[in-house]
Amino acid sequence: MSEPGTYVEKSFKRDTNYITTRITADGRDGFPVEAGRYRLVVARACPWANRAIIVRRLLGLEDALSMGICGPTHDSRSWTFDLDPGGLDPVLRIPRIQDAYLRRDPEYPRGITVPAIVDIPTGAVVTNDFKQITVDLETQWRDLHRDGAPDLYPAELADEIEAVSEPIYRFVNNGVYRCGFAGTQDAYDKAYRRLWEHLDLLEERLSTRRYLVGDHVTEADVRLFTTLVRFDAVYHGHFKCNRSKLVELPALWGYARDLFQTPGFGDTIDFAHIKRHYYVVHKDVNPTGIVPLGPSLENWASPHGRQALGGSPFGEGGTPPGPPREVVPPEHNPALALIAG
């Protein structure tokens, strides 16, 4: 599941009890960085997994870290590999990611989440700690980065990245879920106000700077983008975050389009999977399972004008990643053809 959690006083509280084993350059936890040994399991629908998809692509880790993609829906057990022939992941040879968790612990008691990194030789999950996964890809896997890869987690900016990201996680990334899964009017009202207070602060911050921290894309931008790109399609209506649409917020809308049009961001987005996941799986929020046809998505290709604020996406000496290895079907993201054209 992408949003395991419980209700505390009728408000949503995310289960953050992840498997914290790390894959590091020195192998301190018994899992050294090694090209070809691990498989990243994701679902394009999930914003937390989307972070890892973007970072892997920006850093050019496709040859070093293969990727299995689950379909947009799941049952109470876990995400399934229903997009693959025969319903089996072609590398792990399992039908659902739960199987890799049970290889790690036959009585695994917590949420079955994506992203997860699986040790291919044993078939067991190494980690599902989504925040640490991307930071480690950025810092521990450096020897395997492509030439021209951006530094998404510069040591001199690490503290600022985390300081900016912490309230984004609390009030925006997780805040939309606290709105959508609120069990009382009071819990919803509190989550809604906190969400919009912080989005207003971000609108102000991004009105004078192109990126959240520094002069090029960092981990902080990846973390915010995956919520913004889902906002109008899902969170505005489905989660009742409806004070304004993203398209009505000049700085945030321009910022989101700037990132979307940057190779490695928009080309990872599957709007069809995103909408199908939220509107079909969340039966408590949308009992009919009807998936809306809107909103229009072509506007993600419209000019943003953010270059006037300075900076560059990949920093000095950085270059964009090549064409994506795992291609989103054009009908699932119509803006991509307009950008390419």
Side-chain angles (χ1 to χ4, degrees), residues 211-227:
Y211 304 109
L212 283 171
V213 179
D215 295 324
H216 66 271
V217 167
T218 68
E219 168 78 13
D221 299 298
V222 176
R223 293 175 183 179
L224 178 57
F225 173 77
T226 58
T227 295

Side-chain angles (χ1 to χ4, degrees), residues 110-181:
R110 303 192 288 273
I112 308 294
T113 62
V114 290
I117 297 183
V118 179
D119 180 43
I120 296 173
T122 64
V125 168
V126 178
T127 180
N128 66 338
D129 188 347
F130 71 90
K131 178 181 176 182
Q132 193 64 53
I133 284 173
T134 53
V135 172
D136 282 345
L137 291 179
E138 292 154 357
T139 59
Q140 299 296 316
W141 292 63
R142 286 188 188 275
D143 288 347
L144 297 175
H145 291 183
R146 64 178 176 87
D147 292 339
D151 188 351
L152 299 176
Y153 205 77
E156 69 275 13
L157 296 178
D159 288 346
E160 186 178 358
I161 288 170
E162 294 302 333
V164 168
S165 297
E166 193 281 330
I168 288 175
Y169 169 76
R170 195 152 35 111
F171 301 127
V172 180
N173 300 144
N174 200 42
V176 295
Y177 284 89
R178 294 181 73 90
C179 290
F181 292 137

Side-chain angles (χ1 to χ4, degrees), residues 31-340:
F31 293 95
V33 171
E34 184 180 331
R37 175 173 172 176
Y38 306 100
R39 188 159 176 83
L40 173 66
V41 176
V42 301
R44 291 196 188 276
C46 172
W48 319 100
N50 198 174
R51 297 181 179 192
I53 298 171
I54 291 169
V55 168
R56 171 181 175 267
R57 174 147 161 62
L58 290 175
L59 300 179
L61 288 170
E62 292 95 331
D63 288 334
L65 179 64
S66 67
M67 186 167 78
I69 304 175
C70 298
T73 60
H74 57 72
D75 57 22
S76 60
R77 289 175 62 193
S78 73
W79 300 85
T80 61
F81 294 102
D82 53 313
L83 303 177
D84 293 306
L88 295 177
D89 178 85
V91 172
L92 300 175
R93 307 303 299 169
I94 56 176
R96 56 178 67 232
I97 187 57
Q98 181 190 46
D99 297 329
Y101 279 84
L102 297 179
R103 287 277 183 91
R104 166 82 184 226
D105 178 355
E107 298 181 2
Y108 184 76
R110 303 192 288 273
I112 308 294
T113 62
V114 290
I117 297 183
V118 179
D119 180 43
I120 296 173
T122 64
V125 168
V126 178
T127 180
N128 66 338
D129 188 347
F130 71 90
K131 178 181 176 182
Q132 193 64 53
I133 284 173
T134 53
V135 172
D136 282 345
L137 291 179
E138 292 154 357
T139 59
Q140 299 296 316
W141 292 63
R142 286 188 188 275
D143 288 347
L144 297 175
H145 291 183
R146 64 178 176 87
D147 292 339
D151 188 351
L152 299 176
Y153 205 77
E156 69 275 13
L157 296 178
D159 288 346
E160 186 178 358
I161 288 170
E162 294 302 333
V164 168
S165 297
E166 193 281 330
I168 288 175
Y169 169 76
R170 195 152 35 111
F171 301 127
V172 180
N173 300 144
N174 200 42
V176 295
Y177 284 89
R178 294 181 73 90
C179 290
F181 292 137
T184 67
Q185 187 69 48
D186 183 58
Y188 166 76
D189 290 353
K190 288 178 180 177
Y192 177 95
R193 292 190 187 102
R194 288 169 178 163
L195 167 69
W196 283 105
E197 285 169 2
H198 203 71
L199 285 174
D200 285 341
L201 290 173
L202 290 169
E203 174 74 8
E204 181 179 359
R205 181 182 183 91
L206 290 166
S207 66
T208 58
R209 56 192 305 157
R210 190 171 179 185
Y211 304 109
L212 283 171
V213 179
D215 295 324
H216 66 271
V217 167
T218 68
E219 168 78 13
D221 299 298
V222 176
R223 293 175 183 179
L224 178 57
F225 173 77
T226 58
T227 295
L228 295 183
V229 78
R230 289 161 172 75
F231 199 88
D232 286 2
V234 175
Y235 303 142
H236 178 272
H238 182 60
F239 277 177
K240 305 179 184 69
C241 303
N242 59 356
R243 192 200 74 181
S244 306
K245 295 177 181 176
L246 181 65
V247 298
E248 296 166 345
L249 303 168
L252 280 166
W253 174 227
Y255 166 82
R257 277 177 294 153
D258 188 2
L259 292 177
F260 184 92
Q261 294 170 32
T262 298
F265 282 86
D267 52 34
T268 73
I269 302 302
D270 189 317
F271 284 112
H273 280 200
I274 288 168
K275 291 200 298 182
R276 182 163 178 78
H277 169 70
Y278 284 92
Y279 286 104
V280 172
V281 172
H282 298 163
K283 293 294 187 183
D284 49 344
V285 179
N286 185 43
T288 65
I290 294 172
V291 181
L293 294 177
S296 174
L297 300 169
E298 289 81 359
N299 56 0
W300 281 95
S302 62
H304 53 76
R306 297 280 295 178
Q307 301 92 331
L309 294 172
S312 62
F314 304 113
E316 185 176 354
T319 59
R325 304 280 186 89
E326 301 89 5
V327 178
V328 174
E331 64 273 19
H332 292 190
N333 190 338
L336 292 181
L338 298 175
I339 294 169

